[in-house]
DNA sequence: GCTAAATGCTCTAGCGACTAGAGGATCAAG
DNA sequence: CTTGATCCTCTAGTCGCTAGAGCATTTAGC
């Protein structure tokens, strides 16, 4: 394996240099080997791990969830169940966010649909914001 | 108007005490009057304003957007157009978030639906995360 | 071989919207 | 008069980075 600089790793993975250092700091990446002049030196293993991390982040997994997934993927003989339940938890989380946003959306849309009147004094948006009773749902 | 303590305002609005102080700090609320012993002293005006703020926050408006809305609502003779466009911008923002989350959702669901195999070594979740090519969409 | 630009290093601070806690003053009820 | 609730300010932490200062080192062109 030949050595790769942090900049080259950044180019290869699309993860920015400071972000790579940050991932090291928070324990998503092991402390990198250093050259004689103290620069971080990587190999293909790190590039693969970073691609994994980036992909999981793109899918919205938290850094903490990714740490757990990495720990699990380092123990290939364990049951897949734990990995699966992390992913399912994340799915439930996404569902909740979508549901919440959809409820908000209808509320805000209703607000703007009631129309812009001439003056701020008659503005439905301001009025609705000031009076929770004007809302469809108790809980947004 | 009689004086209301910060705790009473918190109870009346559902906004926590430290959050009220924070809103003052960032300029959503004017600096409160103080009693002889330096405690914040409010009246009904603040309670109404805080309800407005809280409602807007519940609907996902940013503190910055709320600051603009408050400024506008203090000028009742202006056109309602600016208020309306803030709300419409927010609506577009919500739509974008929903679209993004929906795309993520399908990706993550597909991942967990491919099933938990016996060992982590065969786990589809780990595999998909490690290989972006296994995804439906180029951009999540 | 020399110089200048690029890249690397560490450290600190900032984003948004709070939340938590320390350490101290004051108030209200029994 | 004491006790507990409430209030004050200040600092630091949350999450996942991003930006910048102020250096050292490497690389490319000449």
């Amino acid at each position: 394996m030949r050595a790769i600089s942090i900049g080259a790793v950044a180019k290869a993975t699309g993860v920015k240099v400071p972000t790579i250092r940050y991932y090291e700091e928070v324990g998503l990446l092991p402390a990198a080997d250093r050259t004689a002049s103290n620069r971080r030196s990587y190999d293909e293993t790190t590039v693969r791990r970073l691609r994994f991390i980036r992909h999981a982040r793109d899918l919205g997994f938290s850094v903490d969830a990714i740490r757990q997934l990495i720990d699990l993927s380092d123990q290939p003989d364990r049951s897949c169940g734990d990995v699966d339940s992390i992913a399912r938890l994340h799915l439930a989380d996404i569902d909740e966010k979508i549901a919440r946003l959809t409820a908000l959306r209808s509320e805000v849309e209703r607000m703007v649909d009631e129309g812009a009147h001439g003056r701020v004094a008659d503005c439905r948006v301001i009025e609705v914001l000031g009076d929770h009773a004007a809302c469809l749902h108790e809980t947004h």
Side-chain angles (χ1 to χ4, degrees), chain A residues 13-32:
Chain A
T13 60
V15 179
K16 292 182 194 153
V17 168
T19 306
I20 296 173
R21 290 196 277 245
Y22 168 76
Y23 285 159
E24 179 181 319
E25 193 187 314
V26 299
L28 280 194
L29 292 176

Side-chain angles (χ1 to χ4, degrees), chain A residues 33-140:
Chain A
D33 289 342
R34 300 298 182 119
T35 66
S37 64
N38 199 37
R39 300 190 164 198
R40 287 173 181 81
S41 172
Y42 298 100
D43 60 27
E44 271 300 319
T45 314
T46 309
V47 173
R48 272 197 301 278
R49 173 161 288 196
L50 257 180
R51 278 206 244 268
F52 179 97
I53 294 169
R54 189 187 167 193
H55 196 189
R57 286 291 305 135
D58 282 350
L59 288 173
F61 285 87
S62 70
V63 164
D64 195 60
I66 296 172
R67 221 187 326 258
Q68 293 174 49
L69 288 172
I70 287 175
D71 284 352
L72 289 168
S73 72
D74 283 343
Q75 306 171 273
D77 287 328
R78 278 192 58 162
S79 157
C80 187
D82 290 347
V83 170
D84 214 58
S85 65
I86 291 172
R88 276 180 206 284
L89 264 180
H90 182 48
L91 189 60
D93 196 52
I94 294 174
D95 280 341
E96 202 188 304
K97 280 188 184 130
I98 291 175
R100 223 184 104 78
L101 280 174
T102 305
L104 286 199
R105 205 214 106 89
S106 73
E107 213 64 76
V108 175
E109 188 181 35
R110 200 169 69 98
M111 201 164 70
V112 303
D113 276 358
E114 291 193 9
H117 297 63
R119 299 186 316 133
V120 167
D122 306 319
C123 185
R124 284 296 295 154
V125 171
I126 295 291
E127 200 176 321
V128 170
L129 285 175
D131 180 13
H132 184 84
C135 281
L136 287 179
H137 311 288
E138 265 318 292
T139 58
H140 347 267

